[in-house]
mmCIF file of all heavy atoms in Angstrom:
data_model
loop_
_atom_site.group_PDB
_atom_site.id
_atom_site.type_symbol
_atom_site.label_atom_id
_atom_site.label_comp_id
_atom_site.label_asym_id
_atom_site.label_seq_id
_atom_site.Cartn_x
_atom_site.Cartn_y
_atom_site.Cartn_z
ATOM 1 N N GLY D 402 -27.676 -10.899 -20.527
ATOM 2 C CA GLY D 402 -27.886 -9.810 -19.586
ATOM 3 C C GLY D 402 -26.638 -9.337 -18.871
ATOM 4 O O GLY D 402 -26.656 -8.299 -18.207
ATOM 5 N N ARG D 403 -25.532 -10.065 -18.993
ATOM 6 C CA ARG D 403 -24.305 -9.630 -18.332
ATOM 7 C C ARG D 403 -23.730 -8.407 -19.037
ATOM 8 O O ARG D 403 -23.868 -8.256 -20.246
ATOM 9 C CB ARG D 403 -23.277 -10.762 -18.298
ATOM 10 C CG ARG D 403 -23.613 -11.863 -17.297
ATOM 11 C CD ARG D 403 -22.569 -12.969 -17.330
ATOM 12 N NE ARG D 403 -22.514 -13.614 -18.634
ATOM 13 C CZ ARG D 403 -21.497 -14.350 -19.060
ATOM 14 N NH1 ARG D 403 -20.433 -14.518 -18.296
ATOM 15 N NH2 ARG D 403 -21.529 -14.904 -20.248
ATOM 16 N N ILE D 404 -23.061 -7.551 -18.242
ATOM 17 C CA ILE D 404 -22.527 -6.294 -18.750
ATOM 18 C C ILE D 404 -21.063 -6.192 -18.341
ATOM 19 O O ILE D 404 -20.734 -6.316 -17.158
ATOM 20 C CB ILE D 404 -23.308 -5.099 -18.179
ATOM 21 C CG1 ILE D 404 -24.814 -5.250 -18.464
ATOM 22 C CG2 ILE D 404 -22.799 -3.791 -18.765
ATOM 23 C CD1 ILE D 404 -25.667 -4.263 -17.711
ATOM 24 N N PHE D 405 -20.179 -5.969 -19.316
ATOM 25 C CA PHE D 405 -18.753 -5.890 -19.026
ATOM 26 C C PHE D 405 -18.205 -4.514 -19.407
ATOM 27 O O PHE D 405 -18.391 -4.046 -20.527
ATOM 28 C CB PHE D 405 -17.982 -6.973 -19.783
ATOM 29 C CG PHE D 405 -18.325 -8.364 -19.335
ATOM 30 C CD1 PHE D 405 -19.217 -9.140 -20.058
ATOM 31 C CD2 PHE D 405 -17.789 -8.885 -18.170
ATOM 32 C CE1 PHE D 405 -19.541 -10.421 -19.642
ATOM 33 C CE2 PHE D 405 -18.110 -10.158 -17.743
ATOM 34 C CZ PHE D 405 -18.989 -10.926 -18.478
ATOM 35 N N SER D 406 -17.529 -3.891 -18.444
ATOM 36 C CA SER D 406 -16.868 -2.627 -18.719
ATOM 37 C C SER D 406 -15.553 -2.904 -19.440
ATOM 38 O O SER D 406 -15.051 -4.037 -19.438
ATOM 39 C CB SER D 406 -16.584 -1.885 -17.410
ATOM 40 O OG SER D 406 -15.407 -2.379 -16.809
ATOM 41 N N PRO D 407 -14.947 -1.879 -20.047
ATOM 42 C CA PRO D 407 -13.639 -2.080 -20.681
ATOM 43 C C PRO D 407 -12.604 -2.638 -19.719
ATOM 44 O O PRO D 407 -11.766 -3.448 -20.100
ATOM 45 C CB PRO D 407 -13.265 -0.664 -21.149
ATOM 46 C CG PRO D 407 -14.563 0.040 -21.305
ATOM 47 C CD PRO D 407 -15.462 -0.511 -20.242
ATOM 48 N N ARG D 408 -12.674 -2.215 -18.454
ATOM 49 C CA ARG D 408 -11.674 -2.662 -17.495
ATOM 50 C C ARG D 408 -11.825 -4.127 -17.122
ATOM 51 O O ARG D 408 -10.869 -4.765 -16.696
ATOM 52 C CB ARG D 408 -11.724 -1.781 -16.248
ATOM 53 C CG ARG D 408 -10.977 -0.473 -16.438
ATOM 54 C CD ARG D 408 -9.522 -0.716 -16.712
ATOM 55 N NE ARG D 408 -8.761 0.521 -16.854
ATOM 56 C CZ ARG D 408 -7.453 0.569 -16.967
ATOM 57 N NH1 ARG D 408 -6.738 -0.523 -16.999
ATOM 58 N NH2 ARG D 408 -6.833 1.719 -17.088
ATOM 59 N N ALA D 409 -13.014 -4.681 -17.269
ATOM 60 C CA ALA D 409 -13.185 -6.108 -17.017
ATOM 61 C C ALA D 409 -12.444 -6.923 -18.076
ATOM 62 O O ALA D 409 -11.741 -7.894 -17.777
ATOM 63 C CB ALA D 409 -14.664 -6.476 -16.994
ATOM 64 N N LEU D 410 -12.578 -6.515 -19.343
ATOM 65 C CA LEU D 410 -11.895 -7.235 -20.424
ATOM 66 C C LEU D 410 -10.411 -6.903 -20.467
ATOM 67 O O LEU D 410 -9.591 -7.718 -20.916
ATOM 68 C CB LEU D 410 -12.548 -6.899 -21.767
ATOM 69 C CG LEU D 410 -14.059 -7.177 -21.882
ATOM 70 C CD1 LEU D 410 -14.490 -7.066 -23.341
ATOM 71 C CD2 LEU D 410 -14.430 -8.538 -21.327
ATOM 72 N N ASN D 411 -10.062 -5.725 -20.003
ATOM 73 C CA ASN D 411 -8.664 -5.294 -19.979
ATOM 74 C C ASN D 411 -7.770 -6.265 -19.209
ATOM 75 O O ASN D 411 -6.591 -6.432 -19.513
ATOM 76 C CB ASN D 411 -8.598 -3.900 -19.342
ATOM 77 C CG ASN D 411 -7.190 -3.395 -19.156
ATOM 78 O OD1 ASN D 411 -6.473 -3.216 -20.124
ATOM 79 N ND2 ASN D 411 -6.797 -3.170 -17.931
ATOM 80 N N GLN D 412 -8.340 -6.930 -18.206
ATOM 81 C CA GLN D 412 -7.541 -7.821 -17.365
ATOM 82 C C GLN D 412 -6.926 -8.982 -18.149
ATOM 83 O O GLN D 412 -5.890 -9.521 -17.774
ATOM 84 C CB GLN D 412 -8.397 -8.380 -16.214
ATOM 85 C CG GLN D 412 -9.142 -7.323 -15.416
ATOM 86 C CD GLN D 412 -8.225 -6.235 -14.896
ATOM 87 O OE1 GLN D 412 -7.177 -6.511 -14.325
ATOM 88 N NE2 GLN D 412 -8.614 -4.978 -15.104
ATOM 89 N N PHE D 413 -7.567 -9.373 -19.255
ATOM 90 C CA PHE D 413 -7.052 -10.497 -20.034
ATOM 91 C C PHE D 413 -5.808 -10.147 -20.843
ATOM 92 O O PHE D 413 -5.126 -11.027 -21.368
ATOM 93 C CB PHE D 413 -8.139 -11.019 -20.991
ATOM 94 C CG PHE D 413 -9.325 -11.610 -20.298
ATOM 95 C CD1 PHE D 413 -10.572 -11.029 -20.424
ATOM 96 C CD2 PHE D 413 -9.193 -12.726 -19.495
ATOM 97 C CE1 PHE D 413 -11.670 -11.556 -19.775
ATOM 98 C CE2 PHE D 413 -10.283 -13.263 -18.843
ATOM 99 C CZ PHE D 413 -11.524 -12.686 -18.969
ATOM 100 N N LEU D 414 -5.502 -8.868 -20.960
ATOM 101 C CA LEU D 414 -4.390 -8.441 -21.806
ATOM 102 C C LEU D 414 -3.089 -8.252 -21.048
ATOM 103 O O LEU D 414 -2.038 -8.087 -21.646
ATOM 104 C CB LEU D 414 -4.750 -7.127 -22.510
ATOM 105 C CG LEU D 414 -6.068 -7.096 -23.291
ATOM 106 C CD1 LEU D 414 -6.240 -5.742 -23.950
ATOM 107 C CD2 LEU D 414 -6.123 -8.210 -24.319
ATOM 108 N N LYS D 415 -3.149 -8.254 -19.737
ATOM 109 C CA LYS D 415 -1.991 -7.825 -18.955
ATOM 110 C C LYS D 415 -0.798 -8.771 -19.036
ATOM 111 O O LYS D 415 0.329 -8.357 -18.827
ATOM 112 C CB LYS D 415 -2.404 -7.604 -17.503
ATOM 113 C CG LYS D 415 -3.300 -6.387 -17.335
ATOM 114 C CD LYS D 415 -3.509 -6.015 -15.891
ATOM 115 C CE LYS D 415 -4.254 -4.704 -15.782
ATOM 116 N NZ LYS D 415 -4.432 -4.262 -14.387
ATOM 117 N N LYS D 416 -1.036 -10.042 -19.322
ATOM 118 C CA LYS D 416 0.083 -10.986 -19.403
ATOM 119 C C LYS D 416 0.715 -11.027 -20.792
ATOM 120 O O LYS D 416 1.806 -11.562 -20.962
ATOM 121 C CB LYS D 416 -0.392 -12.391 -19.009
ATOM 122 C CG LYS D 416 -0.781 -12.533 -17.559
ATOM 123 C CD LYS D 416 -1.123 -13.963 -17.200
ATOM 124 C CE LYS D 416 -2.408 -14.405 -17.846
ATOM 125 N NZ LYS D 416 -2.794 -15.779 -17.445
ATOM 126 N N ALA D 417 0.030 -10.466 -21.790
ATOM 127 C CA ALA D 417 0.542 -10.495 -23.155
ATOM 128 C C ALA D 417 1.698 -9.517 -23.312
ATOM 129 O O ALA D 417 1.674 -8.416 -22.772
ATOM 130 C CB ALA D 417 -0.569 -10.161 -24.141
ATOM 131 N N THR D 418 2.721 -9.925 -24.056
ATOM 132 C CA THR D 418 3.893 -9.070 -24.262
ATOM 133 C C THR D 418 4.225 -8.878 -25.741
ATOM 134 O O THR D 418 5.170 -8.176 -26.069
ATOM 135 C CB THR D 418 5.124 -9.684 -23.567
ATOM 136 O OG1 THR D 418 5.369 -10.995 -24.096
ATOM 137 C CG2 THR D 418 4.915 -9.776 -22.061
ATOM 138 N N SER D 419 3.441 -9.524 -26.631
ATOM 139 C CA SER D 419 3.801 -9.488 -28.054
ATOM 140 C C SER D 419 2.750 -8.784 -28.911
ATOM 141 O O SER D 419 2.751 -8.923 -30.125
ATOM 142 C CB SER D 419 3.994 -10.916 -28.573
ATOM 143 O OG SER D 419 2.803 -11.668 -28.418
#
Side-chain angles (χ1 to χ4, degrees):
R403 287 179 298 162
I404 305 169
F405 294 99
S406 82
R408 279 298 182 173
L410 303 192
N411 175 62
Q412 309 306 312
F413 295 116
L414 307 182
K415 290 190 173 183
K416 293 185 291 183
T418 59
S419 60

